Amino acid sequence: DAGVIQSPRHEVTEMGQEVTLRCKPISGHDYLFWYRQTMMRGLELLIYFNNNVPIDDSGMPEDRFSAKMPNASFSTLKIQPSEPRDSAVYFCASSLAVQGVGYTFGSGTRLTVV
Amino acid sequence: DQQVKQNSPSLSVQEGRISILNCDYTNSMFDYFLWYKKYPAEGPTFLISISSIKDKNEDGRFTVFLNKSAKHLSLHIVPSQPGDSAVYFCAAIDNNAGNMLTFGGGTRLRVKP
């Protein structure tokens, strides 16, 4: 298995532009999570899905952020419009619906908004 | 309101010595705890875990201790090696509330040769 695949690895965009981050979870995993890593807040959960359905999006910072999971093998995190304070590393992770089993993370997307 | 806290943002240890990384939590419903390791430009990877019914779990050079009354856990690495230099995240889960991990802010460990 190739693991959790995220694209792009790096994204540099201008303030106000739309940014779309992509994630392919591990086949068979029921849960998908989007995390953001910053120096100030560490790893913070933005949103997670169970069987493609959004369960908890309370971590999404603002309406500018949206996430979708149209099928079991693909998810997107969109920021529109982007702002410099959105600059961070965004991680996608997936896991099985087995209690206590940890997540498998992708390599992350480093987003820089200038 | 951070439910999982790692109060030391960084730690420096000499190679061969013990590294002790600490983590505190506030939610008494957490029943499973994990440590993740993260190298630069990579995603976090699972390192070791412990159930709340135990107070110690050991895997090679890595041992996790859990003190439920103090709501505190620690990761011991002995002996420390330069390859252990990374950011370590403590995480906790309430298995009765779904499959969602709550992470601490991380501790950057540097093992000096």
Side-chain angles (χ1 to χ4, degrees):
Chain A
D1 196 321
V4 176
I5 300 173
Q6 290 186 248
S7 64
R9 288 299 307 272
H10 302 275
E11 177 77 41
V12 180
T13 189
E14 291 186 347
M15 182 175 64
Q17 296 297 306
E18 176 179 297
V19 176
T20 300
L21 312 182
R22 297 172 175 80
C23 175
K24 182 181 187 306
I26 290 175
S27 177
H29 279 190
D30 299 282
Y31 287 82
L32 184 139
F33 307 83
W34 282 100
Y35 278 85
R36 178 170 69 175
Q37 184 191 11
T38 61
M39 290 289 291
M40 294 297 295
R41 302 172 71 91
L43 269 174
E44 54 177 338
L45 178 66
L46 300 177
I47 184 171
Y48 79 98
F49 297 82
N50 179 213
N51 291 322
N52 312 339
V53 176
I55 302 300
D56 185 345
D57 66 353
S58 59
M60 297 285 260
E62 306 172 27
D63 291 344
R64 299 184 295 106
F65 286 70
S66 63
K68 294 182 180 179
M69 192 165 186
N71 56 62
S73 60
F74 184 65
S75 177
T76 60
L77 177 68
K78 186 176 294 185
I79 308 172
Q80 164 64 14
S82 57
E83 296 182 4
R85 60 192 167 122
D86 302 331
S87 298
V89 181
Y90 291 80
F91 289 102
C92 175
S94 68
S95 75
L96 289 168
V98 176
Q99 291 181 341
V101 176
Y103 304 167
T104 301
F105 280 82
S107 297
T109 295
R110 180 174 293 278
L111 173 65
T112 303
V113 183
V114 298
Chain B
D1 178 30
Q2 278 192 296
Q3 297 188 63
V4 179
K5 292 184 181 180
Q6 295 175 253
N7 292 316
S8 297
S10 65
L11 175 68
S12 185
V13 172
Q14 200 67 39
E15 179 179 6
R17 304 296 290 270
I18 185 171
S19 296
I20 300 176
L21 294 90
N22 294 302
C23 177
D24 298 295
Y25 62 96
T26 58
N27 187 346
S28 58
M29 299 304 293
F30 286 144
D31 53 6
Y32 202 79
F33 304 88
L34 305 89
W35 284 93
Y36 279 78
K37 179 178 181 180
K38 184 186 176 306
Y39 290 118
E42 296 182 11
T45 56
F46 170 72
L47 183 60
I48 191 170
S49 63
I50 188 168
S51 166
S52 60
I53 63 174
K54 295 185 176 182
D55 55 17
K56 177 183 175 181
N57 187 28
E58 189 173 353
D59 183 3
R61 296 184 298 111
F62 303 91
T63 303
V64 56
F65 294 92
L66 175 63
N67 183 334
K68 284 187 64 179
S69 61
K71 294 191 178 67
H72 176 83
L73 66 156
S74 60
L75 174 67
H76 292 210
I77 307 173
V78 56
S80 302
Q81 300 174 353
D84 297 329
S85 298
V87 177
Y88 289 79
F89 290 97
C90 169
I93 188 169
D94 173 1
N95 277 307
N96 294 315
N99 195 38
M100 188 179 71
L101 282 175
T102 301
F103 284 88
T107 296
R108 182 177 300 278
L109 172 66
R110 180 186 170 217
V111 180
K112 296 178 287 185

